[in-house]
Amino acid sequence: MSNPHIQVCNLNAWYGSQPALKNINLAIPRQQITVIMGPSGCGKTTLLKTFNRFFELTEGARLEGQVLVDGENIYDRAIDETEVRKRIGLLAQRPTVLPMSIYENVAYGMYIHRMKKNAREYKDAVRHYLELAGLWDEVGKRLHDPATALSIGQQQRLCLARGLAVEPEIILGDEPTSALDPISSQHIEKKLLELKDRYTTVIVTHTLRQAKRLADYVVFMYMGEVVEAGPASQVFNHPQQERTQQYLAGMF
Amino acid sequence: MGDFSPTLTQRQAQERTARRVVFVLSALPLVLIIYITAALFTRFWPLLEQYSLWDLLIGTQWYPMQGKFGFLPFITGTLWVTAVGVFLAVPPCLLTAFYLSEYARPLTRVLLKPVLDVLAALPSVIYGVWGVLAVVPFVGNQLRPVFSQYLGWIPLFSSHQPTGYSILAGGIVLAVMIAPFLIAVTYEVLMTAPQDWRLGSLGLGATRWQTIRYVLFRQSLPGILAGVVLGTSRALGETMAVLMVVGNVPQMPRSIFDAAYPLPALIANNYGEMMSVPLYDAALLGAAVLLLVIVLAFNVASTLVLQRVLARR
Amino acid sequence: MKFRWHRRHWSEIIVKLLMYCSVGLVFASLAVILWTIVSKGLPALTWEMVSQTPKGGFYLGKEGGILNAILGSLYLAGGATLIAFVFSLPLALFLETYLGQSRWANWVRLSLDVLWGIPSIVYGAFGFILMLSLGMRASLLGGILTLALLELPIMVRAMDEVIRRMPYDLEQAALALGSTKWEVASRVVLRQMLSGIVTAILLAFGRGIGDAASVLFTAGYTDSIPTSLMRPAASLPLAVFFQLGTPFPQVQQRAYAAALILTVIVLVVSLGSRFLAAQVGKFSVK
């Protein structure tokens, strides 16, 4: 693959003495949706967390190897992890809205990075990103209500708007629809597809059907290892590895 | 052959009796409060028959032998010492609690928690001994000269007496005494904050401090304030430790290096002695009433304010 | 993504520095306090101090010890803790089971909070006038009753905390396993609560043994070991306070020794409660 956006080199990770990732080598293409799939406990969420330096927040977590974003190792000493997290946004399994109003939730990230100059600019930006996340029509009239008053599906789209507002290049999704009802899941999937030519997107999922709906590029993991990675059509239609074939056939 | 299990009516009767006992028992705290207040007030009454309450409250002269009972120096002393103590304690305690809950590793927490428990468990007289041996000389020999040399032009820091027995010494001792309490409360409040808030904020590239400042602190403020209120009422009524280091001079303090005479110290030092002086006993119990009223009023007022703040959210 | 200095990094560094200073300050004060008490008290601590009562001329620096105060304090705090416990346990239990979250329960909790906030010197003054009206003089009994008043809210509050934290599921789970109500109460609830109750008792005991202001007028002070509830009793905090107030260095030395003894007792109680709670609570669900 020429010019991958994220490149993982010889990545090993442990929780305490328990190995979680074993010698991962991987390239993730630019401005496409990459889906990481595999049975639960295979390390896919762990891998995702190493991309935005969330991995190290777990107690006893240890890591060796490199994660290169645009050729820059984000585990280098000279890297600012807050800058990493600004450029690589995360949608968590459950929406993590902050205990503030809807407006403040979207403005929060821009505010802490001092990205806008005055109230007018913040207001416009909040509207823009709520529109981008497809939430404006529903909440435009009650921006100053607490964000927790929204339904869980709306909260997840709010998190998407909030993440987009700090102008990331990469969006990570850790099973972002697993806590949502089918309609809300559809909303999120639709948005991710709409946004995919502007952002590099990496989604973790354990539902094969979602993977098939979203993926341009697929990574299949098993027991902390990458078994197979490649363009969606190739992996889904002509899997090379026996494990992948078994997984796609629904054998585990 | 009888049926040994109690009938339904018997069991209902049991339940009724139990309820009555519970009710009586649960009324005990309220009855105690009323009784304590009433008992103290009854003994204070003879003084109020001779002097108006207002005169007692704004009087600055305390000469029991001559029948002059002005409570203002003692009230002021209480408020000053408490204010200095709380002012000194709050910032480092909040920071320590933030550190323990947001930055420290579990191992550090496990090690530091017992230390706080020990600090909280030490009796006030021990703090008093420490105050006499360490704080008073430190304030008298180190802080006082420095402050009067460089900041002496500010009335608050000027010094009028040569020793360290002062409001500042009392405040420092109080600050250390209420510290474990403030830290524990703030820490508990922060620990109840959901992990999602932290992840949501950190995920946008916020630093830990930004997360604390803009997310956690705002949400935890009512709880933290409630802790500060409890700590302050502790400080208002603290007797022995303050009594030992504050100088006990019935005067209107002008600077934090002045000696003061808080209400609890007044009661502890004089009650039970010289009861032959007319109205002296009533005046000292009046001091107890005043202290009680100050503590209760402060508690009630801050509870009301907190409830309003919470209701507005 | 190379590190470049932003305002947020500066604030982070400054705040972190302030935090380290604060943590240092808090723990340094504890270290200094303990060091002051130990370094002053240890040289003055002799076997005579803990094994004898004051002899003639003790307060001028002659021989004797403070056994009277040690025993007095143990009697005072022990008696008070016992009485407070007798009232606290049912109060705390019923507060939750019978009154729950009702209006009256909130009133009871509020009044407990108010009681908790009443300064010990006020309890002392109240205890004294109560005794006067009953025609009693300063005595062990008076001190015990006053201290019990002081300890009551501390104990109820600590117990209430434990009971309220009791997971509801636990009771349900036990019932679902086919236990009878009595088995639930005796095996599950009590066991779950036991460590909390032990902590509450020791917490109140520690408070009681260290409090000087409430026993100042009510228990009095005497040089002999208390033999009757109606006689005055000495206490450690007052032993420290009175001896420190004398102008004789030898006597002040003894104040330091008494302070050390008091500190050791309180520390043993405090750490002991941790240990006991851990032992008893080993199988409780957190």
Side-chain angles (χ1 to χ4, degrees):
Chain A
M1 185 190 310
S2 67
N3 191 19
H5 203 162
I6 304 176
Q7 201 162 8
V8 184
C9 303
N10 305 322
L11 189 70
N12 285 281
W14 298 265
Y15 292 119
S17 58
Q18 194 77 28
L21 296 176
K22 297 172 198 156
N23 198 32
I24 308 280
N25 284 286
L26 194 63
I28 287 174
R30 207 172 280 275
Q31 281 149 14
Q32 289 183 11
I33 296 183
T34 300
V35 170
I36 305 178
M37 58 180 198
S40 51
C42 68
K44 49 194 194 303
T45 296
T46 304
L47 180 63
L48 197 76
K49 282 183 178 171
T50 63
F51 293 171
N52 77 334
R53 302 270 308 247
F54 257 31
F55 174 69
E56 68 212 46
L57 296 181
T58 311
E59 201 55 43
R62 195 161 53 85
L63 171 147
E64 275 170 20
Q66 294 185 320
V67 176
L68 305 169
V69 175
D70 280 327
E72 222 177 343
N73 181 14
I74 61 168
Y75 285 91
D76 196 275
R77 272 169 175 281
I79 290 288
D80 175 5
E81 78 269 14
T82 60
E83 199 63 37
V84 171
R85 290 178 194 147
K86 175 176 177 289
R87 285 185 35 186
I88 304 174
L90 174 74
L91 266 186
Q93 274 186 26
R94 281 168 302 119
T96 55
V97 296
L98 298 172
M100 311 168 173
S101 70
I102 296 167
Y103 178 90
E104 287 170 311
N105 256 283
V106 184
Y108 177 77
M110 297 187 279
Y111 177 72
I112 59 170
H113 292 288
R114 306 282 188 269
M115 291 166 70
K116 299 284 180 279
K117 283 190 204 68
N118 52 47
R120 179 88 240 153
E121 283 186 26
Y122 276 108
K123 228 175 147 183
D124 292 344
V126 167
R127 176 173 185 155
H128 172 74
Y129 288 109
L130 281 174
E131 281 170 348
L132 204 59
L135 202 58
W136 177 257
D137 295 339
E138 290 156 66
V139 304
K141 294 232 162 29
R142 47 182 184 132
L143 287 178
H144 296 285
D145 284 7
T148 42
L150 297 175
S151 76
I152 200 131
Q154 289 172 322
Q155 287 187 18
Q156 190 67 307
R157 276 181 285 152
L158 182 66
C159 288
L160 181 65
R162 186 183 71 184
L164 296 177
V166 293
E167 296 168 15
E169 303 161 6
I170 300 171
I171 302 171
L172 307 176
D174 181 9
E175 304 189 21
T177 63
S178 63
L180 309 185
D181 59 279
I183 310 257
S184 301
S185 303
Q186 262 183 25
H187 267 298
I188 292 280
E189 283 186 19
K190 204 175 104 211
K191 279 296 149 197
L192 291 174
L193 287 168
E194 277 171 28
L195 294 168
K196 77 173 180 186
D197 41 0
R198 288 203 251 166
Y199 302 92
T200 300
T201 311
V202 185
I203 304 289
V204 160
T205 181
H206 66 266
T207 53
L208 191 53
R209 281 198 291 182
Q210 188 177 45
K212 284 183 174 163
R213 285 196 297 269
L214 292 176
D216 300 310
Y217 194 83
V218 176
V219 178
F220 174 63
M221 289 184 71
Y222 185 68
M223 305 275 278
E225 286 175 271
V226 171
V227 177
E228 187 163 355
S233 54
Q234 181 194 318
V235 176
F236 286 137
N237 300 329
H238 309 288
Q240 307 293 305
Q241 303 291 324
E242 195 183 339
R243 287 258 180 235
T244 322
Q245 288 161 9
Q246 285 171 340
Y247 181 74
L248 291 175
M251 291 174 71
F252 56 92
Chain B
M1 294 292 284
D3 183 2
F4 287 100
S5 63
T7 63
L8 189 62
T9 32
Q10 271 174 329
R11 280 168 62 189
Q12 279 172 338
Q14 268 176 12
E15 180 74 14
R16 266 204 301 280
T17 323
R19 275 189 180 281
R20 247 172 246 151
V21 173
V22 171
F23 186 79
V24 169
L25 199 64
S26 68
L28 185 71
L30 198 61
V31 170
L32 263 178
I33 295 172
I34 295 169
Y35 189 39
I36 291 175
T37 318
L40 291 173
F41 200 79
T42 320
R43 304 291 293 241
F44 180 31
W45 189 246
L47 192 69
L48 286 176
E49 284 181 331
Q50 306 244 341
Y51 304 87
S52 82
L53 179 63
W54 183 246
D55 286 343
L56 291 174
L57 287 180
I58 60 161
T60 57
Q61 307 265 319
W62 181 265
Y63 298 111
M65 305 293 232
Q66 300 162 26
K68 288 183 179 163
F69 300 102
F71 281 112
L72 195 59
F74 305 100
I75 298 171
T76 329
T78 303
L79 297 181
W80 270 73
V81 174
T82 306
V84 171
V86 172
F87 178 78
L88 289 177
V90 166
C93 288
L94 292 195
L95 284 169
T96 304
F98 288 154
Y99 176 80
L100 286 181
S101 83
E102 303 304 312
Y103 288 81
R105 300 201 214 160
L107 184 69
T108 325
R109 277 182 213 155
V110 170
L111 287 176
L112 294 190
K113 208 84 218 308
V115 176
L116 286 179
D117 286 355
V118 167
L119 260 180
L122 285 179
S124 60
V125 79
I126 300 296
Y127 283 97
V129 171
W130 170 66
V132 169
L133 290 174
V135 179
V136 169
F138 177 68
V139 170
N141 304 331
Q142 262 85 40
L143 290 182
R144 197 179 52 82
V146 173
F147 271 81
S148 64
Q149 193 174 348
Y150 296 106
L151 296 167
W153 49 275
I154 304 172
L156 189 63
F157 298 127
S158 60
S159 64
H160 313 105
Q161 54 140 11
T163 70
Y165 288 93
S166 58
I167 290 177
L168 183 58
I172 292 176
V173 170
L174 269 186
V176 178
M177 287 186 75
I178 61 172
F181 186 76
L182 289 182
I183 295 172
V185 170
T186 312
Y187 176 79
E188 293 282 314
V189 171
L190 286 171
M191 288 315 261
T192 59
Q195 194 63 16
D196 278 359
W197 295 354
R198 297 184 180 93
L199 294 180
S201 172
L202 291 176
L204 295 169
T207 59
R208 286 202 180 257
W209 172 240
Q210 285 176 322
T211 307
I212 295 173
R213 188 173 152 197
Y214 296 120
V215 183
L216 298 177
F217 185 68
R218 246 173 57 157
Q219 290 302 312
S220 317
L221 194 60
I224 296 174
L225 281 181
V228 172
V229 166
L230 283 180
T232 309
S233 39
R234 263 275 124 101
L236 280 171
E238 177 49 44
T239 311
M240 283 324 209
V242 176
L243 160 80
M244 290 163 83
V245 300
V246 81
N248 303 328
V249 183
Q251 60 179 14
M252 291 297 291
R254 286 165 291 166
S255 129
I256 56 169
F257 291 102
D258 280 356
Y261 208 159
L263 286 165
L266 172 72
I267 308 167
N269 268 339
N270 300 294
Y271 196 55
E273 290 166 21
M274 299 198 302
M275 285 310 186
S276 54
V277 180
L279 293 177
Y280 197 35
D281 159 82
L284 291 175
L285 287 169
V289 172
L290 283 182
L291 183 62
L292 190 61
V293 168
I294 290 175
V295 171
L296 292 188
F298 178 74
N299 263 313
V300 170
S302 42
T303 311
L304 289 180
V305 170
L306 271 178
Q307 275 174 353
R308 291 193 84 169
V309 171
L310 280 178
R312 215 182 297 151
R313 300 230 161 156
Chain C
M1 285 177 279
K2 280 270 184 296
F3 193 89
R4 269 178 306 154
W5 285 104
H6 284 285
R7 215 167 96 182
R8 61 173 193 272
H9 297 120
W10 286 113
S11 347
E12 180 81 8
I13 294 231
I14 291 165
V15 168
K16 250 186 169 168
L17 235 103
L18 287 174
M19 280 178 180
Y20 288 134
C21 292
S22 305
V23 174
L25 198 66
V26 169
F27 295 102
S29 3
L30 177 74
V32 169
I33 292 170
L34 289 184
W35 188 78
T36 309
I37 299 297
V38 171
S39 70
K40 286 279 185 178
L42 211 50
L45 190 63
T46 56
W47 179 242
E48 198 191 342
M49 278 293 290
V50 294
S51 63
Q52 293 188 13
T53 55
K55 301 284 184 293
F58 178 74
Y59 297 103
L60 301 169
K62 299 266 177 57
E63 60 194 28
I66 51 160
L67 185 63
N68 57 330
I70 298 175
L71 285 180
S73 263
L74 291 176
Y75 289 166
L76 280 168
T81 308
L82 190 70
I83 293 179
F85 178 70
V86 168
F87 285 94
S88 307
L89 187 65
L91 194 53
L93 268 175
F94 294 148
L95 197 56
E96 191 58 24
T97 49
Y98 276 78
L99 303 172
Q101 296 297 327
S102 64
R103 268 181 93 85
W104 176 241
N106 286 335
W107 273 102
V108 176
R109 286 208 178 88
L110 179 70
S111 44
L112 279 169
D113 280 355
V114 171
L115 274 184
W116 188 87
I118 292 182
S120 64
I121 187 79
V122 174
Y123 280 114
F126 168 72
F128 188 64
I129 53 177
L130 196 65
M131 287 160 59
L132 279 184
S133 64
L134 294 174
M136 280 166 68
R137 309 222 6 233
S139 62
L140 182 59
L141 182 64
I144 286 178
L145 291 178
T146 313
L147 268 186
L149 284 183
L150 179 87
E151 288 186 15
L152 181 80
I154 298 172
M155 220 187 249
V156 178
R157 190 181 243 248
M159 287 180 183
D160 190 33
E161 200 96 304
V162 186
I163 299 172
R164 271 210 274 185
R165 268 194 210 156
M166 254 263 321
Y168 181 68
D169 298 355
L170 202 66
E171 200 182 322
Q172 294 292 306
L175 282 174
L177 287 174
S179 325
T180 65
K181 278 246 176 197
W182 166 244
E183 281 167 348
V184 172
S186 60
R187 305 244 169 97
V188 184
V189 179
L190 200 66
R191 192 159 190 165
Q192 185 75 15
M193 275 184 58
L194 205 54
S195 72
I197 290 175
V198 168
T199 318
I201 292 174
L202 288 178
L203 183 77
F205 182 83
R207 259 289 146 67
I209 204 167
D211 198 79
S214 57
V215 295
L216 186 59
F217 322 122
T218 52
Y221 200 86
T222 170
D223 283 353
S224 53
I225 292 169
T227 49
S228 150
L229 278 174
M230 303 315 284
R231 303 268 304 271
S235 55
L236 273 172
L238 291 180
V240 177
F241 180 60
F242 290 146
Q243 296 182 70
L244 199 67
T246 61
F248 308 106
Q250 301 97 311
V251 183
Q252 288 180 355
Q253 290 292 316
R254 294 202 183 116
Y256 304 146
L260 179 60
I261 296 170
L262 180 57
T263 308
V264 168
I265 293 179
V266 168
L267 289 195
V268 166
V269 169
S270 162
L271 296 177
S273 80
R274 247 173 189 271
F275 177 75
L276 261 179
Q279 286 295 309
V280 178
K282 214 180 258 172
F283 303 105
S284 27
V285 179
K286 289 278 158 19

